Amino acid sequence: MSLADKLKDKKVLVTGVTGFVGEALLHRIIGDLPGTTVAAIIRPKGSLTGVDRMAQLLKKDIFKPFYGEGTPYADAEALTAARIQVVEGDLSDVPELPKDLDIVVHCAGDVSFDPPIHEAFTTNVLGTKSLLERIVETQKPVHYVHISTAYTAGRRRGAIPEAPVEHFVDWRTEAEAGMAMKARVEEQSRSAPMLAKFRKESEKLHRRAGHLTAAADTERRRIEWVAKRLVETGTERARSLGWTDCYTFTKALGERVVEEFSKTLPTSIVRPAIIESAVQSPHPGWIEGFKMAEPLILAYGRGELPEFPASPDSVIEIIPVDHVVGAICAVMATEPELSKPEYYHIGSGARNPLTFEQLYAGVRAYFSKHPFDLGERGAVRLPVWKFPGGDSVETMLRYGEKAHKIADAVITRVPRGERTRKYARELDVQKRRLDFLRRYMDLYSEYAQAELQFVDDNVLALHNALEGDDKEKFACDTAVVDWQHYLQEVHCPSVTDSMRRLDVVRKKRNKALAASAGVLKKVEPSEAKVIAAFDMDGTLLSSNVIETYLWMRLPELDGPQRAGEIGAMLRKLPKLIAAERKDRGTFLRTIYRRYAGADLEELNQIVDEILAEHVLERLSGAAVRRIREHRAAGHKTILITGAVRPLTRPLEPLFDEIVAAELAVDDRGRCTGFLSGPPLVGESRAAWIKHHARQENVDLSKSFAYADSHSDLPMLSTVGNPVAVSPDVSLFRAARAARWQIVDWKTPSTSSRLELPGVQRSGGLAR
């Protein structure tokens, strides 16, 4: 009798139908088991109901042959009405199930290898328990088919029988401890030592931007630490008890739950190995998302996986998804006895082993024929694996991580510039690669070095018992798979196709970006009030506070006095740089104390008569054009700078408003060395812009801001159109992460950073 006949008029509840295996199973039931109906538990997601999500699922290409002209169903709605019942719900709160179920196939579960420990227990253990309790409520002898994993065997070696896993772990105790871990780790993250650690790390990076920016980053670090610690806790608890990771650990405990319920429910436990793309059905190479091998294959093809911590003769247990689904369908048609669960390993190592050396050879052969294209640099140079062993690979990785850390510390301290940003970009790419390698080495090294052989006699018996066309439709004998053909002609082409299409889009985008490099987006007129706020030093002109101080101080000094003043500043430079990195406001106040005794009107005169031309020569032509574009568009242009007010006088014709540091004066008009108010730096600039927007009814979402320093991150974040201008490394990275516009405004070639105003005045600054 065929499987279609055996399963005719049966109603099968499938969980995880929107996942990889669940979707393939739904496709197989609809296509090859015409008399079988499906009930699917689907949780709502966002604004989409479970019914909506099923409708979306059926719109995928693999389901389209099942409805429309020439089929029994006019459209997807008719197919759903005839064959599928949607049950809205979630494993965290399993709804009441239909009373007419015959079979339940539990495909849903947390399939991440490194989930937070409480999430793994919620889905793989407690969710399974809740589902089984609901099945028992139907008061029918429902055949329960549990989809587990072959790796519930843990860190054993040798032949693994199709039988219960031998272990002494109590699932109830572990579930209670695992669920309590979230609260414990949260509490630990809020302890004074941990909060101080997060705060100091954040302030080291964001101190110049302001306390609130550092505070937001502090909380981000705390949240990330909690997530990381919950993952680490799950991994370590699993390994301490003999499993590879939290996923296999909780799946093994989930099996214990299932075994307890097998006393009242006929039960089958199906244990697939590493599930990959289909050999035949729904079509060769069909796969949804990236599974275990895909990230590694793609990384190798891009030249980013120099080695792998596996023995060349170790076996990797890969199984095509259609073989898994074929076996599940065959299992559905069986009739296990109560209290005697049947176990099924779906793997390939027992009769058709694929070694890591063979996997490497197949993947390398594919990319040798079909390399990724790097554009002008040509085809990717493929790494040559020598399989030096896990310890050697770990040493190589640690060395790379240490070298990157040193290089990154250097790049954040060298003078900014195009070359510096280029190096920072390269270091960021290297960091992503190192993080990728670290993550996958930690995750997969256990699997790569495992020496397990999953006995699959029960699955082979299922396959041999298939009759007629079923041997092809529901094939589950992996001995027939030609691995080199599968890798080179089926799997690799499939998993690289989306990446190649993405590369085409990326190349077009990069080409457009290269063509428009330095070209600013057109400023459109707006009915709403819009501002364009500009920083001065480092943004509009190539200068800094120390330089501009010397511009104003040196013209009235003779040669020896000039040398003395420059020498004094050079001696103080290390302390000034340290102060600037710590608190820009304090740094500015330190510089401006040196104006004590100067006549403010005299400073204005020096600027007007001596420095104006020098300042204007330093102005970037692109900056001036941009300012004029904003004014032509009806935008209010604002200069926000920590420079003293006199130095902004040459720029007054360009701006509608100038906000600068105001030197305090006594009743004789002489500078006291203090400011009349706090300098606008870091978050103060953002606060000023927000206050101005409220007063003037400005639409900040349409407004612009231009700055060059990480300290200006709050100001840039305030507006809808931030532009990082020749940014320092920290701002450059933040801008790239936020996808802000990044431009270089070049200083005119006629100006020099070493050039100082040379005109001397006879009177000097009044003291």
Side-chain angles (χ1 to χ4, degrees):
M1 184 183 295
S2 70
L3 288 185
D5 291 333
K6 290 180 180 179
L7 296 171
K8 186 179 180 181
D9 299 325
K10 301 289 186 183
K11 188 168 188 177
V12 182
L13 175 74
V14 180
T15 68
V17 74
T18 58
F20 182 38
V21 173
E23 183 179 336
L25 178 59
L26 177 65
H27 175 272
R28 187 68 63 86
I29 292 173
I30 293 174
D32 293 329
L33 301 174
T36 306
T37 57
V38 174
I41 296 181
I42 306 180
R43 67 180 172 85
K45 189 175 183 180
S47 61
L48 296 176
T49 65
V51 174
D52 294 333
R53 295 186 68 197
M54 175 57 75
Q56 281 190 343
L57 181 64
L58 293 179
K59 288 178 182 177
K60 292 187 175 183
D61 289 343
I62 63 170
F63 292 102
K64 289 181 179 178
F66 300 145
Y67 56 84
E69 188 176 349
T71 71
Y73 310 106
D75 49 32
E77 289 75 13
L79 171 61
T80 303
R83 301 286 304 277
I84 304 169
Q85 176 185 354
V86 175
V87 181
E88 301 258 358
D90 192 301
L91 286 180
S92 62
D93 184 18
V94 179
E96 183 177 345
L97 303 180
K99 301 298 184 182
D100 57 345
L101 295 178
D102 298 292
I103 303 167
V104 172
V105 182
H106 182 31
C107 297
D110 194 325
V111 297
S112 168
F113 290 122
D114 58 347
I117 187 170
H118 66 293
E119 292 182 7
F121 273 102
T122 297
T123 304
N124 294 338
V125 180
L126 301 181
T128 297
K129 175 176 176 288
S130 297
L131 175 63
L132 286 162
E133 289 171 340
R134 285 295 195 185
I135 296 172
V136 170
E137 289 176 5
T138 65
Q139 298 183 347
K140 283 189 64 179
V142 175
H143 179 189
Y144 177 72
V145 181
H146 184 77
I147 311 303
S148 185
T149 173
Y151 291 94
T152 54
R155 303 170 92 178
R156 291 171 171 79
R157 292 177 181 269
I160 307 299
E162 292 171 293
V165 176
E166 296 181 4
H167 66 78
F168 56 85
V169 181
D170 180 70
W171 71 263
R172 290 178 174 81
T173 301
E174 291 302 320
E176 182 180 355
M179 295 301 293
M181 195 58 64
K182 176 69 161 44
R184 291 173 62 184
V185 172
E186 275 282 351
E187 183 179 2
Q188 186 181 356
S189 76
R190 297 170 190 272
S191 66
M194 293 305 303
L195 291 174
K197 175 180 178 291
F198 303 140
R199 178 179 56 79
K200 288 175 182 177
E201 290 173 350
S202 297
E203 288 179 350
K204 184 178 180 180
L205 179 62
H206 295 292
R207 184 183 290 113
R208 295 171 66 216
H211 294 298
L212 293 181
T213 303
D217 189 61
T218 298
E219 180 62 6
R220 178 190 65 79
R221 290 171 187 268
R222 188 194 68 81
I223 293 171
E224 287 183 355
W225 181 87
V226 168
K228 183 178 179 182
R229 190 58 180 264
L230 287 169
V231 169
E232 292 172 346
T233 301
T235 300
E236 289 306 319
R237 183 54 180 158
R239 291 181 179 175
S240 73
L241 292 171
W243 279 273
T244 54
D245 48 47
C246 194
Y247 166 68
T248 57
F249 171 47
T250 53
K251 291 295 280 187
L253 297 189
E255 284 192 11
R256 277 290 186 266
V257 177
V258 173
E259 287 157 0
E260 289 185 9
F261 277 84
S262 69
K263 297 172 183 176
T264 55
L265 294 172
T267 300
S268 301
I269 295 177
V270 178
R271 295 172 177 160
I274 300 169
I275 308 174
E276 295 296 343
S277 66
V279 175
Q280 290 293 337
S281 178
H283 58 75
W286 179 82
I287 191 169
E288 290 279 298
F290 283 172
K291 307 308 166 190
M292 183 172 180
E294 286 67 57
L296 303 178
I297 290 172
L298 292 171
Y300 179 81
R302 290 190 171 278
E304 298 172 355
L305 194 62
E307 269 295 352
F308 196 68
S311 298
D313 55 354
S314 292
V315 172
I316 177 169
E317 287 274 357
I318 283 178
I319 182 77
V321 66
D322 45 349
H323 282 241
V324 174
V325 170
I328 292 173
C329 290
V331 169
M332 286 162 47
T334 63
E335 297 179 358
E337 299 178 24
L338 289 178
S339 300
K340 292 184 179 180
E342 296 287 347
Y343 296 84
Y344 301 90
H345 282 155
I346 313 176
S348 56
R351 290 176 296 105
N352 187 16
L354 171 67
T355 67
F356 276 97
E357 195 282 328
Q358 291 170 334
L359 173 66
Y360 162 69
V363 172
R364 182 176 178 82
Y366 168 76
F367 282 113
S368 296
K369 295 177 184 176
H370 311 284
F372 281 124
D373 185 8
L374 293 180
E376 294 180 358
R377 289 181 289 169
V380 172
R381 185 174 181 180
L382 298 174
V384 177
W385 285 3
K386 297 181 179 178
F387 296 100
D391 291 343
S392 296
V393 174
E394 173 64 24
T395 299
M396 291 165 54
L397 181 55
R398 279 204 309 265
Y399 176 79
E401 290 170 335
K402 185 176 181 180
H404 177 273
K405 187 175 181 179
I406 295 170
D408 194 59
V410 171
I411 202 70
T412 56
R413 287 169 171 78
V414 300
R416 74 178 68 181
E418 220 170 311
R419 182 174 296 179
T420 301
R421 289 190 291 276
K422 175 177 175 290
Y423 290 146
R425 242 188 335 259
E426 292 172 354
L427 279 175
D428 291 345
V429 170
Q430 184 185 22
K431 179 66 162 59
R432 285 195 297 273
R433 290 176 180 174
L434 287 169
D435 288 346
F436 169 86
L437 292 173
R438 171 55 65 195
R439 171 174 165 75
Y440 282 96
M441 293 300 178
D442 289 347
L443 279 178
Y444 292 168
S445 60
E446 290 283 338
Y447 293 88
Q449 297 174 54
E451 296 188 6
L452 302 170
Q453 186 182 71
F454 301 114
V455 175
D456 62 351
D457 293 344
N458 291 347
V459 170
L460 181 59
L462 285 177
H463 176 81
N464 291 335
L466 295 173
E467 300 178 3
D469 293 344
D470 283 358
K471 279 191 181 293
E472 183 177 348
K473 287 181 181 179
F474 302 98
C476 46
D477 179 10
T478 55
V480 302
V481 179
D482 180 338
W483 289 120
Q484 290 307 311
H485 175 270
Y486 174 77
L487 290 170
Q488 297 180 47
E489 305 299 330
V490 177
H491 189 62
C492 287
S494 176
V495 300
T496 59
D497 178 63
S498 60
M499 191 62 65
R500 293 183 193 279
R501 283 188 271 113
L502 184 62
D503 279 348
V504 172
V505 174
R506 188 182 293 116
K507 285 175 185 176
K508 289 181 179 178
R509 185 186 65 195
N510 291 342
K511 201 175 210 181
L513 289 174
S516 62
V519 178
L520 296 169
K521 297 175 184 176
K522 183 180 178 182
V523 180
E524 299 291 344
S526 174
E527 293 181 2
K529 288 185 179 180
V530 172
I531 63 171
F534 293 80
D535 175 43
M536 187 175 84
D537 291 332
T539 302
L540 298 181
L541 61 155
S542 57
S543 61
N544 58 54
V545 172
I546 295 176
E547 276 185 293
T548 53
Y549 164 75
L550 292 174
W551 291 353
M552 296 183 68
R553 181 74 175 99
L554 297 184
E556 52 87 32
L557 300 177
D558 58 25
Q561 290 174 320
R562 283 188 176 190
E565 184 66 16
I566 293 173
M569 293 302 293
L570 287 175
R571 286 193 297 273
K572 293 183 178 180
L573 194 59
K575 289 186 177 179
L576 290 172
I577 291 174
E580 199 269 346
R581 286 178 175 167
K582 184 176 182 181
D583 188 313
R584 186 162 176 80
T586 301
F587 163 73
L588 292 176
R589 287 184 172 95
T590 301
I591 298 295
Y592 296 157
R593 286 294 297 272
R594 301 183 71 84
Y595 284 108
D599 185 287
L600 185 59
E601 284 304 317
E602 182 81 7
L603 293 177
N604 289 333
Q605 190 176 355
I606 289 174
V607 172
D608 292 343
E609 296 181 5
I610 300 176
L611 298 182
E613 183 177 354
H614 188 72
V615 170
L616 294 175
E617 284 179 351
R618 292 289 187 96
L619 267 178
S620 163
V624 174
R625 286 192 296 274
R626 187 59 165 168
I627 296 166
R628 288 173 177 165
E629 287 174 1
H630 279 294
R631 301 193 80 174
H635 302 168
K636 182 177 181 179
T637 56
I638 303 173
L639 178 64
I640 302 181
T641 178
V644 294
R645 171 73 63 175
L647 275 167
T648 67
R649 291 169 68 85
L651 305 179
E652 288 177 357
L654 292 171
F655 293 96
D656 299 307
E657 184 170 353
I658 294 179
V659 184
E662 303 287 354
L663 293 167
V665 295
D666 58 21
D667 53 6
R668 295 180 301 163
R670 298 180 186 279
C671 297
T672 63
F674 301 104
L675 300 175
S676 60
L680 282 184
V681 296
E683 291 167 353
S684 298
R685 295 187 179 186
W688 188 94
I689 288 175
K690 290 177 181 177
H691 178 67
H692 181 80
R694 287 192 295 268
Q695 284 188 320
E696 302 293 329
N697 195 27
V698 172
D699 186 346
L700 288 179
S701 69
K702 295 182 179 179
S703 294
F704 297 76
Y706 302 81
D708 69 304
S709 171
H710 182 260
S711 64
D712 292 312
L713 193 59
M715 179 177 83
L716 293 170
S717 301
T718 301
V719 299
N721 299 287
V723 181
V725 181
S726 305
D728 60 24
V729 169
S730 296
L731 178 59
F732 174 70
R733 285 172 167 166
R736 277 170 56 85
R739 298 187 180 276
W740 292 346
Q741 190 176 10
I742 301 172
V743 299
D744 276 312
W745 284 348
K746 304 291 186 183
T747 300
S749 57
T750 54
S751 65
S752 168
R753 296 300 297 263
L754 300 177
E755 180 184 350
L756 293 170
V759 180
Q760 287 196 349
R761 294 179 57 82
S762 57
L765 292 175
R767 294 286 177 186

